[in-house]
Amino acid sequence: MARATTAILAAVAILGNAGLTNAQAPAGAPALSLFPSPWGQGGGDGWDAAYEKARAFVSNLTLVEKVNLTTGTGWEFDRCIGNTGSIPRLGFRSMCLQDGTVAVRYTDKNSVFPAGMNMAATFSRSLMRRRGEAMGSEFRGKGIDVALGPVTGPLGRVPAGGRNWEGFSPDPYLSGVGMFETVTGMQSVGVIATAKHYILNEQEHFRNNVDVTIDDRTMHELYLWPFADAVRAGVGAVMCSYNKINGNYSCENSWTLNYLLKNELNFQGFVMSDWGAQHSTLESALAGLDMAMPGDGGARGNVYGAFWGGALTEAVLNGTIPAWRVDDMAVRIMAAYYKIGALSGNKPRPDVNFSAWVKPNVTVGPVYFRANASIEPVNLHVDVQADHGALIREIGAKSTVLLKNKNNKALPLHKPGHIAIIGEDAQDAPGGPNACEDNKCYRGTLAMGYGSGPGYFPYLVAPATALKKRAAADNTTVAEAPSNWDLDAARTAATGADVAFVFASADSGEGYITIDGNTGDRNNLTLWGNGDALIQAVASVNPNTIVVLHTVGPVLIDYAAKHENITAILWAGLQGQESGNSLVDVLYGDIAPQGRSPFTWGQNISDYGAQVMYTSPTPLAPAQNFSEGVFIDYRYFQHAHTSSVYPFGHGLTYTQFDFENLTVHPCKGQAASTAAVPSKSWTAAAQTYGTVNSSMSANVDPSGFQRIKPFIYPWIIRAANATWLFTAPKAFANTTDPRTNNSAQAVLPAGGAPGGNPGLYDTVYTIGFDVRNRGNVNGTAVPQLYVQLGGKDNPWGVLRGFDDVSVAAGDRVHVEMNLTRRDISNWDTEKQNWVVNNLQKYVFIGRSVVDIALNSSLPALSLQSAGVMQQRLACLE
Ligand code: NOJ
């Protein structure tokens, strides 16, 4: 078939998506699908140079060596949570992939950082970036190539979602900034970041097989948005999730992987499966998976013990999977490796110097844990903490949200005479902070959730410890009541204290752990461990009760908000190892609170609309429809006209800020430039690198090789006496089967560069205003910019800008925020593109989503009628 004809067919396939059909999609594929799987092409921001090196490297590899890069060696076989095969012939060691999202998991001499949710609460790009760098350097220092974070799936559709704390916020813009800054920071020190879990992994119940139905617009405007920012930041890896989307597993979903991620978002790195989220050899390969993790499992009964490994080699040799697809997998993996290596100045990567499978205080153990083979020093206790404790303390303080401060005077404290510290959440856990693997027991103060995200604490400063230290310095006397259940003791301690601190918490995590009946997701939004009764008991006797909450998301605290005796409420989230110190810094005013709530605090759980699906009438095929569309968290509250206890974006500090003098500058359109539309509207044809030797000797174990069972290998296993069937892999040139077609492919109109069409990120308005500190102490304002996009299908307003602005007492600071074209667009399902519609739009500057200080209409853009990105824009002052 001539290239032009093929091109037209491909274009038809894409345009067909506009009508939610795709003539070329195989039966059973989701309506929006795309084949073939887009091959990596390189591009700006270092991808071209990385691709050049990757192609050169892969050109030297045999088929089994390429396959070895794509497939993990098996669960607990090598030293990391995930390990690719190696290329011993070229001295290329296995790649080490390691959790978690707040710490390097399963080792020692590492730090434990504040959770992603706390990062969102800082509303500080610079702190997000600095945490990314610090975490990245800890992973790198342990010899890890790929860090398994950050998280923006879950986004936070449901308030009780178990892993929401690992992500940032149910607001996609705030999460997108969190992803961009974290990825940039982590990768700058030479560690490949992983944007996970892609996508719609919004709850833990049924996470392995729930089939989520979602519409195209909601996908783009909510769930895909922060992943686009991660891709734009140049993220090296994306982890596909456990769930299904519109009928297909996420790791074999040609809509989410081929269409959205690799074509529209122009993702140039590699897609790895979540652990065990791969369900096929062929479908996963053709739908865009590049790396199977942990490599084994799932394919029970097949001789390989894996969907890939030798099974992938065999599929190439027998012509089911094109050689170019496996080459693309290997090139994508190596391109990410080289790109991120170059970011850190191509320094040699350290050896892996720990083992995830020995206890952190143990040194000697098996290199191959499941085989119990090669006993030697595997954990060298390399200290990677540097001075990160100071940053962790700062972030902890700056992410603390002061929800209530009666008459602006309960806090900060000034040398109180006598304080009471009440509740188990203020105290050290019995047995220390690391008594339970994966933090699976709920004891003592809560500073991280449970599951694969946590790591071991080097130390954990409990609030009681830090408060008592401060009290000693101030000559303050202290009474303590550590039990949540002994309410008499709590009341006794609180009675007569100048300040009664009462601590409470609520935990959640990953679904393989159940704590007190909560299987990952929370069962409700009440405090754990009798916390609500404890707070009420303390408040009943002390008129200066201060509530401190360590929770994984919103809890129902309307009673506390209204209670006369509760003079302050602080949400501290999950602050990591410096928890108590961070809190004391805020309580005593050493650091002005700047945290703003990254989610809405409702009166009732039903106020949130969408909820966790705890049971299913079809438990073997559970299904869920995200029918609420874009209306989650504050968008739903606005839509349903429900008032909250504390709104999204709310947080007090020790001074007051005015926002004044709003200006709105629309930017002028320029004549269409060459960079106007996607830089390439067609890709080159797929390439293969090197040649495939299809002889038997090249593809079976080398003679004399001793397999270590049950390691996953890339070699073919032939039944004894079987004849050799393979002559050469099929060429697949210009085939009419779209899944294996290697000819040039159309680039989607919304695509063209990592993160989507570069024109989406053009500034279209510049918004200016002044922040005035009218109090008598210095402080940090967090002005928030909301846009009303107009029409009944859009929320009242959506967050589209924020800043953390330090302003000295009495001073005024001018702030400017840019709105990009993406910020004012809606996703048009018909056009398959972002479109600025003709509805009147407004901009608001507020202290929270409901406390709006300034507003203005947005003047129409001259380009609105031109529709989508025909022109780049330039802001001409
Ligand atoms: C499953 C979790 O969903 C994922 O976040 C984690 O990285 C892997 N397990 C590996 O532990």
Side-chain angles (χ1 to χ4, degrees), residues 22-45:
N22 184 341
Q24 295 196 11
L32 284 164
S33 70
L34 180 78
F35 292 106
S37 185
W39 34 91
Q41 301 159 72
D45 290 336

Side-chain angles (χ1 to χ4, degrees), residues 112-115 118 388-400 425-428 433 444-448 457-467 503-505 548-551 570-587:
V112 173
F113 291 81
N118 279 65
H388 299 158
L391 175 65
I392 291 167
R393 179 171 179 164
E394 182 184 348
I395 296 172
K398 291 186 174 171
S399 62
T400 302
D425 180 56
Q427 302 291 337
D428 289 323
T445 193
L446 190 74
M448 61 186 182
F457 285 102
Y459 58 84
L460 170 55
V461 181
T465 311
L467 276 169
F503 288 79
S505 62
V548 180
L549 301 170
H550 290 115
T551 68
L570 298 104
W571 177 75
L574 303 173
Q575 294 177 317
Q577 69 195 42
E578 290 279 342
S579 185
N581 288 335
S582 299
L583 181 71
V584 165
D585 288 344
V586 170
L587 291 175

Side-chain angles (χ1 to χ4, degrees), residues 680-699:
K680 287 184 205 151
S681 43
W682 289 88
T683 68
Q687 299 290 309
T688 52
Y689 300 97
T691 49
V692 173
N693 181 342
S694 53
S695 71
M696 181 160 73
S697 60
N699 293 289

Side-chain angles (χ1 to χ4, degrees), residues 6 181 220 262 327 370 572 579 657 717 724 762 830 850:
T6 317
E181 297 298 343
H220 280 84
K262 288 187 169 176
D327 287 7
R370 278 270 289 283
S579 185
F657 296 104
I717 297 172
W724 187 249
D762 286 343
E830 289 268 305
V850 304

Side-chain angles (χ1 to χ4, degrees), residues 99 105 163 196-197 207 239 242 274-275 452 510:
D99 292 314
R105 186 185 184 195
R163 300 187 76 177
K196 73 183 189 181
H197 308 83
R207 72 168 174 174
M239 182 191 289
Y242 286 122
D274 199 343
W275 271 230
S452 63
E510 207 170 328

Side-chain angles (χ1 to χ4, degrees), residues 75 104 310 329 615 816:
W75 178 240
V104 182
M329 297 172 189
T615 56
E816 290 202 341

Side-chain angles (χ1 to χ4, degrees), residues 318-403:
N318 72 19
T320 354
I321 294 179
W324 62 254
R325 181 70 268 271
V326 173
D327 287 7
D328 179 53
M329 297 172 189
V331 167
R332 283 175 172 275
I333 293 165
M334 293 311 298
Y337 171 83
Y338 286 122
K339 175 184 154 67
I340 282 75
L343 285 176
S344 72
N346 292 317
K347 291 193 210 93
R349 54 177 174 161
D351 290 336
V352 177
N353 52 45
F354 73 104
S355 167
W357 315 120
V358 299
K359 293 274 173 239
N361 57 351
V362 168
T363 304
V364 175
V367 175
Y368 307 111
F369 178 75
R370 278 270 289 283
N372 200 23
S374 296
I375 311 292
E376 55 185 74
V378 285
N379 185 15
L380 305 183
H381 312 286
V382 173
D383 192 333
V384 291
Q385 299 167 86
D387 57 355
H388 299 158
L391 175 65
I392 291 167
R393 179 171 179 164
E394 182 184 348
I395 296 172
K398 291 186 174 171
S399 62
T400 302
V401 183
L402 180 59
L403 292 168

